[in-house]
Short mmCIF file of all heavy atoms in Angstrom, two decimals:
data_model
loop_
_atom_site.label_atom_id
_atom_site.label_comp_id
_atom_site.label_asym_id
_atom_site.label_seq_id
_atom_site.Cartn_x
_atom_site.Cartn_y
_atom_site.Cartn_z
N PRO B 25 4.80 -15.48 14.04
CA PRO B 25 5.91 -14.61 13.88
C PRO B 25 6.83 -15.15 12.73
O PRO B 25 7.06 -16.36 12.71
CB PRO B 25 6.67 -14.67 15.23
CG PRO B 25 5.86 -15.46 16.12
CD PRO B 25 4.81 -16.17 15.35
N GLY B 26 7.27 -14.26 11.85
CA GLY B 26 8.04 -14.71 10.71
C GLY B 26 9.54 -14.92 11.08
O GLY B 26 10.00 -14.42 12.07
N ARG B 27 10.21 -15.67 10.18
CA ARG B 27 11.67 -15.83 10.32
C ARG B 27 12.35 -15.14 9.11
O ARG B 27 11.81 -15.15 8.00
CB ARG B 27 12.04 -17.30 10.30
CG ARG B 27 11.55 -18.00 11.54
CD ARG B 27 11.99 -19.49 11.53
NE ARG B 27 11.34 -20.18 12.66
CZ ARG B 27 11.08 -21.49 12.66
NH1 ARG B 27 11.41 -22.23 11.63
NH2 ARG B 27 10.49 -22.04 13.72
N VAL B 28 13.50 -14.58 9.38
CA VAL B 28 14.19 -13.82 8.34
C VAL B 28 14.60 -14.74 7.21
O VAL B 28 15.27 -15.74 7.38
CB VAL B 28 15.43 -13.12 8.89
CG1 VAL B 28 16.22 -12.37 7.73
CG2 VAL B 28 15.00 -12.09 9.92
N LEU B 29 14.20 -14.38 5.96
CA LEU B 29 14.62 -15.11 4.79
C LEU B 29 15.72 -14.34 4.05
O LEU B 29 16.75 -14.95 3.67
CB LEU B 29 13.41 -15.36 3.87
CG LEU B 29 13.70 -16.14 2.60
CD1 LEU B 29 14.17 -17.56 2.87
CD2 LEU B 29 12.43 -16.17 1.72
N TYR B 30 15.51 -13.05 3.85
CA TYR B 30 16.53 -12.21 3.18
C TYR B 30 16.64 -10.87 3.93
O TYR B 30 15.66 -10.34 4.37
CB TYR B 30 16.12 -11.89 1.74
CG TYR B 30 15.90 -13.07 0.86
CD1 TYR B 30 14.62 -13.31 0.30
CD2 TYR B 30 16.88 -14.00 0.61
CE1 TYR B 30 14.38 -14.39 -0.48
CE2 TYR B 30 16.65 -15.11 -0.21
CZ TYR B 30 15.41 -15.28 -0.76
OH TYR B 30 15.18 -16.39 -1.55
N GLU B 31 17.87 -10.39 3.99
CA GLU B 31 18.10 -9.05 4.49
C GLU B 31 18.85 -8.20 3.45
O GLU B 31 19.51 -8.76 2.58
CB GLU B 31 18.90 -9.04 5.78
CG GLU B 31 18.05 -9.54 6.95
CD GLU B 31 18.77 -9.49 8.28
OE1 GLU B 31 19.69 -10.31 8.50
OE2 GLU B 31 18.47 -8.57 9.08
N GLY B 32 18.78 -6.89 3.53
CA GLY B 32 19.59 -6.03 2.66
C GLY B 32 19.12 -6.05 1.23
O GLY B 32 19.91 -5.72 0.32
N LEU B 33 17.85 -6.31 0.96
CA LEU B 33 17.33 -6.27 -0.40
C LEU B 33 17.18 -4.82 -0.85
O LEU B 33 16.81 -3.95 -0.02
CB LEU B 33 15.94 -6.98 -0.50
CG LEU B 33 15.90 -8.44 -0.18
CD1 LEU B 33 14.47 -8.93 -0.11
CD2 LEU B 33 16.69 -9.28 -1.18
N THR B 34 17.43 -4.55 -2.10
CA THR B 34 17.30 -3.16 -2.58
C THR B 34 16.35 -3.15 -3.81
O THR B 34 16.08 -4.18 -4.41
CB THR B 34 18.69 -2.60 -3.05
OG1 THR B 34 19.24 -3.48 -3.97
CG2 THR B 34 19.54 -2.40 -1.82
N ASP B 35 15.83 -1.95 -4.11
CA ASP B 35 14.89 -1.80 -5.24
C ASP B 35 15.72 -1.72 -6.52
O ASP B 35 16.07 -0.63 -6.97
CB ASP B 35 14.04 -0.55 -5.03
CG ASP B 35 13.08 -0.36 -6.17
OD1 ASP B 35 12.95 -1.25 -7.05
OD2 ASP B 35 12.35 0.68 -6.16
N TYR B 36 15.99 -2.87 -7.09
CA TYR B 36 16.79 -2.95 -8.31
C TYR B 36 16.05 -2.44 -9.53
O TYR B 36 16.61 -2.17 -10.60
CB TYR B 36 17.24 -4.40 -8.57
CG TYR B 36 16.14 -5.37 -8.26
CD1 TYR B 36 15.09 -5.60 -9.15
CD2 TYR B 36 16.11 -6.08 -7.06
CE1 TYR B 36 14.06 -6.43 -8.84
CE2 TYR B 36 15.07 -6.95 -6.74
CZ TYR B 36 14.04 -7.12 -7.67
OH TYR B 36 13.03 -7.94 -7.38
N LEU B 37 14.70 -2.32 -9.44
CA LEU B 37 13.91 -1.96 -10.60
C LEU B 37 13.71 -0.46 -10.75
O LEU B 37 13.83 0.11 -11.84
CB LEU B 37 12.55 -2.64 -10.50
CG LEU B 37 11.80 -2.90 -11.76
CD1 LEU B 37 12.57 -3.90 -12.64
CD2 LEU B 37 10.39 -3.42 -11.47
N ALA B 38 13.44 0.23 -9.64
CA ALA B 38 13.10 1.67 -9.74
C ALA B 38 14.02 2.51 -8.84
O ALA B 38 13.88 3.72 -8.81
CB ALA B 38 11.67 1.93 -9.37
N GLY B 39 14.92 1.87 -8.09
CA GLY B 39 15.93 2.62 -7.36
C GLY B 39 15.39 3.36 -6.12
O GLY B 39 16.03 4.29 -5.63
N THR B 40 14.24 2.95 -5.58
CA THR B 40 13.77 3.55 -4.37
C THR B 40 14.76 3.40 -3.25
O THR B 40 15.39 2.29 -3.11
CB THR B 40 12.41 2.86 -3.94
OG1 THR B 40 11.54 2.76 -5.03
CG2 THR B 40 11.75 3.62 -2.78
N ALA B 41 14.94 4.46 -2.45
CA ALA B 41 15.90 4.41 -1.36
C ALA B 41 15.57 3.37 -0.32
O ALA B 41 14.36 3.05 -0.12
CB ALA B 41 16.01 5.79 -0.70
N GLY B 42 16.52 2.80 0.34
CA GLY B 42 16.28 1.89 1.45
C GLY B 42 16.69 0.46 1.18
O GLY B 42 16.97 0.06 0.05
N GLN B 43 16.88 -0.26 2.30
CA GLN B 43 17.19 -1.69 2.21
C GLN B 43 16.05 -2.45 2.92
O GLN B 43 15.47 -1.92 3.88
CB GLN B 43 18.48 -1.98 2.96
CG GLN B 43 19.69 -1.33 2.23
CD GLN B 43 20.98 -2.11 2.42
OE1 GLN B 43 21.07 -2.87 3.38
NE2 GLN B 43 21.93 -1.93 1.55
N TRP B 44 15.74 -3.63 2.43
CA TRP B 44 14.52 -4.29 2.88
C TRP B 44 14.79 -5.69 3.34
O TRP B 44 15.66 -6.38 2.83
CB TRP B 44 13.53 -4.31 1.68
CG TRP B 44 13.29 -2.94 1.20
CD1 TRP B 44 13.93 -2.32 0.13
CD2 TRP B 44 12.48 -1.90 1.76
NE1 TRP B 44 13.55 -1.04 -0.01
CE2 TRP B 44 12.64 -0.72 0.96
CE3 TRP B 44 11.59 -1.86 2.82
CZ2 TRP B 44 12.01 0.46 1.26
CZ3 TRP B 44 10.92 -0.69 3.10
CH2 TRP B 44 11.14 0.44 2.33
N ARG B 45 13.95 -6.12 4.28
CA ARG B 45 14.09 -7.43 4.88
C ARG B 45 12.82 -8.22 4.59
O ARG B 45 11.72 -7.67 4.71
CB ARG B 45 14.26 -7.30 6.39
CG ARG B 45 14.47 -8.63 7.11
CD ARG B 45 14.86 -8.40 8.52
NE ARG B 45 13.71 -7.99 9.33
CZ ARG B 45 13.64 -8.08 10.64
NH1 ARG B 45 14.70 -8.50 11.32
NH2 ARG B 45 12.55 -7.68 11.27
N MET B 46 12.98 -9.47 4.18
CA MET B 46 11.84 -10.31 3.87
C MET B 46 11.77 -11.46 4.87
O MET B 46 12.73 -12.15 5.11
CB MET B 46 11.89 -10.85 2.45
CG MET B 46 10.64 -11.58 2.01
SD MET B 46 10.32 -11.46 0.26
CE MET B 46 9.34 -9.95 0.15
N LEU B 47 10.60 -11.66 5.42
CA LEU B 47 10.37 -12.73 6.41
C LEU B 47 9.58 -13.86 5.68
O LEU B 47 8.89 -13.63 4.71
CB LEU B 47 9.58 -12.29 7.62
CG LEU B 47 10.11 -11.08 8.42
CD1 LEU B 47 9.27 -10.92 9.69
CD2 LEU B 47 11.57 -11.24 8.76
N ARG B 48 9.70 -15.06 6.28
CA ARG B 48 8.85 -16.18 5.81
C ARG B 48 8.10 -16.78 7.00
O ARG B 48 8.66 -16.90 8.08
CB ARG B 48 9.77 -17.25 5.20
CG ARG B 48 8.96 -18.49 4.74
CD ARG B 48 9.65 -19.31 3.73
NE ARG B 48 10.98 -19.78 4.18
CZ ARG B 48 11.82 -20.39 3.36
NH1 ARG B 48 11.54 -20.59 2.07
NH2 ARG B 48 12.98 -20.77 3.81
N CYS B 49 6.85 -17.15 6.74
CA CYS B 49 6.03 -17.82 7.75
C CYS B 49 6.64 -19.21 8.01
O CYS B 49 6.84 -19.95 7.05
CB CYS B 49 4.62 -17.93 7.31
SG CYS B 49 3.57 -18.82 8.48
N PRO B 50 6.90 -19.54 9.28
CA PRO B 50 7.55 -20.82 9.62
C PRO B 50 6.66 -22.04 9.43
O PRO B 50 7.12 -23.18 9.38
CB PRO B 50 7.99 -20.70 11.07
CG PRO B 50 7.02 -19.69 11.64
CD PRO B 50 6.67 -18.75 10.49
N ASP B 51 5.32 -21.79 9.28
CA ASP B 51 4.40 -22.92 9.13
C ASP B 51 4.39 -23.40 7.66
O ASP B 51 4.01 -22.64 6.73
CB ASP B 51 2.98 -22.41 9.47
CG ASP B 51 1.98 -23.57 9.43
OD1 ASP B 51 2.29 -24.66 8.89
OD2 ASP B 51 0.84 -23.40 9.93
N ALA B 52 4.82 -24.62 7.42
CA ALA B 52 4.97 -25.11 6.04
C ALA B 52 3.61 -25.16 5.35
O ALA B 52 3.53 -25.14 4.14
CB ALA B 52 5.58 -26.51 6.08
N ALA B 53 2.52 -25.22 6.14
CA ALA B 53 1.19 -25.23 5.52
C ALA B 53 0.74 -23.87 5.08
O ALA B 53 -0.36 -23.70 4.52
CB ALA B 53 0.19 -25.82 6.53
N CYS B 54 1.58 -22.82 5.31
CA CYS B 54 1.27 -21.47 4.88
C CYS B 54 2.41 -20.98 4.01
O CYS B 54 2.30 -20.87 2.80
CB CYS B 54 1.05 -20.56 6.13
SG CYS B 54 0.90 -18.79 5.74
N GLY B 55 3.54 -20.61 4.60
CA GLY B 55 4.75 -20.25 3.86
C GLY B 55 4.75 -18.88 3.24
O GLY B 55 5.59 -18.57 2.41
N LEU B 56 3.82 -17.99 3.70
CA LEU B 56 3.77 -16.60 3.13
C LEU B 56 5.16 -15.93 3.34
O LEU B 56 5.79 -16.13 4.32
CB LEU B 56 2.69 -15.86 3.86
CG LEU B 56 2.42 -14.43 3.31
CD1 LEU B 56 1.56 -14.47 2.06
CD2 LEU B 56 1.68 -13.57 4.37
N LEU B 57 5.52 -15.09 2.36
CA LEU B 57 6.70 -14.17 2.51
C LEU B 57 6.16 -12.77 2.63
O LEU B 57 5.21 -12.43 1.98
CB LEU B 57 7.63 -14.24 1.29
CG LEU B 57 8.02 -15.63 0.73
CD1 LEU B 57 9.03 -15.38 -0.40
CD2 LEU B 57 8.64 -16.51 1.79
N TRP B 58 6.81 -11.94 3.43
CA TRP B 58 6.37 -10.54 3.55
C TRP B 58 7.52 -9.64 3.97
O TRP B 58 8.50 -10.11 4.56
CB TRP B 58 5.18 -10.39 4.46
CG TRP B 58 5.42 -10.60 5.91
CD1 TRP B 58 5.71 -9.63 6.84
CD2 TRP B 58 5.42 -11.85 6.61
NE1 TRP B 58 5.87 -10.22 8.09
CE2 TRP B 58 5.68 -11.54 7.98
CE3 TRP B 58 5.23 -13.17 6.25
CZ2 TRP B 58 5.75 -12.58 8.92
CZ3 TRP B 58 5.28 -14.18 7.23
CH2 TRP B 58 5.55 -13.85 8.54
N LEU B 59 7.39 -8.34 3.61
CA LEU B 59 8.41 -7.35 4.04
C LEU B 59 8.14 -6.95 5.47
O LEU B 59 7.08 -6.73 5.90
CB LEU B 59 8.28 -6.07 3.17
CG LEU B 59 8.85 -6.08 1.77
CD1 LEU B 59 8.83 -4.66 1.23
CD2 LEU B 59 10.23 -6.68 1.70
N ASP B 60 9.24 -6.89 6.25
CA ASP B 60 9.22 -6.35 7.60
C ASP B 60 10.54 -5.61 7.85
O ASP B 60 11.57 -6.28 7.85
CB ASP B 60 9.04 -7.47 8.62
CG ASP B 60 9.14 -6.95 10.03
OD1 ASP B 60 8.64 -5.84 10.31
OD2 ASP B 60 9.79 -7.64 10.89
N PRO B 61 10.52 -4.31 8.09
CA PRO B 61 9.34 -3.45 8.06
C PRO B 61 8.87 -3.22 6.64
O PRO B 61 9.62 -3.43 5.70
CB PRO B 61 9.87 -2.13 8.70
CG PRO B 61 11.31 -2.11 8.42
CD PRO B 61 11.76 -3.59 8.44
N LYS B 62 7.61 -2.76 6.53
CA LYS B 62 7.07 -2.45 5.19
C LYS B 62 6.77 -0.96 5.09
O LYS B 62 6.50 -0.32 6.14
CB LYS B 62 5.89 -3.34 4.87
CG LYS B 62 4.68 -3.17 5.76
CD LYS B 62 3.61 -4.21 5.38
CE LYS B 62 2.46 -4.17 6.31
NZ LYS B 62 1.52 -5.26 6.07
N PRO B 63 6.77 -0.41 3.88
CA PRO B 63 6.48 1.01 3.75
C PRO B 63 5.07 1.33 4.24
O PRO B 63 4.18 0.53 4.09
CB PRO B 63 6.56 1.25 2.21
CG PRO B 63 7.29 0.07 1.68
CD PRO B 63 7.04 -1.06 2.61
N LEU B 64 4.94 2.51 4.82
CA LEU B 64 3.57 2.97 5.17
C LEU B 64 2.77 3.12 3.89
O LEU B 64 3.30 3.52 2.86
CB LEU B 64 3.64 4.37 5.83
CG LEU B 64 4.24 4.45 7.24
CD1 LEU B 64 4.06 5.91 7.75
CD2 LEU B 64 3.58 3.47 8.18
N ALA B 65 1.48 2.82 4.01
CA ALA B 65 0.61 2.88 2.79
C ALA B 65 0.69 4.28 2.20
O ALA B 65 0.70 4.42 0.95
CB ALA B 65 -0.84 2.55 3.21
N ALA B 66 0.73 5.30 3.03
CA ALA B 66 0.73 6.69 2.55
C ALA B 66 2.03 7.02 1.74
O ALA B 66 2.02 7.93 0.94
CB ALA B 66 0.62 7.65 3.71
N ASP B 67 3.09 6.27 2.02
CA ASP B 67 4.36 6.58 1.36
C ASP B 67 4.67 5.70 0.15
O ASP B 67 5.60 5.97 -0.62
CB ASP B 67 5.54 6.42 2.35
CG ASP B 67 5.67 7.66 3.24
OD1 ASP B 67 4.71 8.46 3.31
OD2 ASP B 67 6.75 7.79 3.86
N LEU B 68 3.91 4.58 0.05
CA LEU B 68 4.26 3.59 -0.96
C LEU B 68 4.20 4.17 -2.38
O LEU B 68 4.94 3.72 -3.27
CB LEU B 68 3.32 2.39 -0.82
CG LEU B 68 3.77 1.09 -1.55
CD1 LEU B 68 5.19 0.68 -1.05
CD2 LEU B 68 2.80 -0.05 -1.25
N ILE B 69 3.39 5.17 -2.60
CA ILE B 69 3.31 5.79 -3.95
C ILE B 69 4.63 6.25 -4.45
O ILE B 69 4.88 6.24 -5.64
CB ILE B 69 2.26 6.97 -3.87
CG1 ILE B 69 1.92 7.47 -5.27
CG2 ILE B 69 2.76 8.12 -3.02
CD1 ILE B 69 0.99 6.59 -6.03
N LYS B 70 5.57 6.65 -3.54
CA LYS B 70 6.90 7.07 -3.92
C LYS B 70 7.66 5.95 -4.63
O LYS B 70 8.51 6.25 -5.46
CB LYS B 70 7.69 7.51 -2.68
CG LYS B 70 7.22 8.76 -2.03
CD LYS B 70 8.19 9.08 -0.86
CE LYS B 70 7.64 10.11 0.08
NZ LYS B 70 8.44 10.18 1.34
N ALA B 71 7.35 4.70 -4.25
CA ALA B 71 8.10 3.57 -4.86
C ALA B 71 7.61 3.29 -6.27
O ALA B 71 8.17 2.46 -6.95
CB ALA B 71 7.93 2.34 -3.97
N TYR B 72 6.54 4.01 -6.69
CA TYR B 72 6.01 3.80 -8.04
C TYR B 72 6.31 4.94 -8.97
O TYR B 72 5.83 5.01 -10.10
CB TYR B 72 4.49 3.61 -7.96
CG TYR B 72 4.09 2.28 -7.36
CD1 TYR B 72 4.01 2.16 -6.01
CD2 TYR B 72 3.89 1.15 -8.13
CE1 TYR B 72 3.67 0.94 -5.37
CE2 TYR B 72 3.54 -0.08 -7.53
CZ TYR B 72 3.45 -0.15 -6.18
OH TYR B 72 3.10 -1.32 -5.57
N ALA B 73 7.14 5.86 -8.51
CA ALA B 73 7.40 7.12 -9.28
C ALA B 73 7.93 6.81 -10.67
O ALA B 73 7.61 7.52 -11.61
CB ALA B 73 8.35 8.01 -8.49
N THR B 74 8.74 5.79 -10.81
CA THR B 74 9.28 5.45 -12.12
C THR B 74 8.85 4.05 -12.56
O THR B 74 9.55 3.34 -13.29
CB THR B 74 10.81 5.49 -12.13
OG1 THR B 74 11.29 4.60 -11.09
CG2 THR B 74 11.34 6.87 -11.88
N TYR B 75 7.67 3.66 -12.09
CA TYR B 75 7.21 2.29 -12.34
C TYR B 75 6.67 2.16 -13.76
O TYR B 75 6.39 3.13 -14.45
CB TYR B 75 6.12 1.96 -11.30
CG TYR B 75 5.91 0.49 -11.07
CD1 TYR B 75 6.97 -0.35 -10.80
CD2 TYR B 75 4.65 -0.08 -11.17
CE1 TYR B 75 6.75 -1.71 -10.61
CE2 TYR B 75 4.41 -1.42 -11.00
CZ TYR B 75 5.49 -2.22 -10.70
OH TYR B 75 5.25 -3.55 -10.49
N HIS B 76 6.46 0.91 -14.19
CA HIS B 76 6.20 0.59 -15.61
C HIS B 76 4.89 1.13 -16.15
O HIS B 76 4.78 1.41 -17.35
CB HIS B 76 6.28 -0.90 -15.89
CG HIS B 76 5.45 -1.74 -15.03
ND1 HIS B 76 4.06 -1.79 -15.16
CD2 HIS B 76 5.74 -2.56 -13.96
CE1 HIS B 76 3.58 -2.63 -14.24
NE2 HIS B 76 4.58 -3.07 -13.51
#
Side-chain angles (χ1 to χ4, degrees):
R27 293 183 187 153
V28 175
L29 181 62
Y30 303 118
E31 286 186 286
L33 297 173
T34 54
D35 181 6
Y36 40 78
L37 205 65
T40 311
Q43 294 210 338
W44 307 95
R45 183 171 75 161
M46 186 151 272
L47 305 188
R48 177 160 57 190
C49 177
D51 184 348
C54 171
L56 185 78
L57 312 184
W58 69 95
L59 281 190
D60 174 40
K62 63 185 175 189
L64 290 185
D67 278 19
L68 197 55
I69 190 76
K70 291 182 194 169
Y72 290 85
T74 55
Y75 201 52
H76 53 74

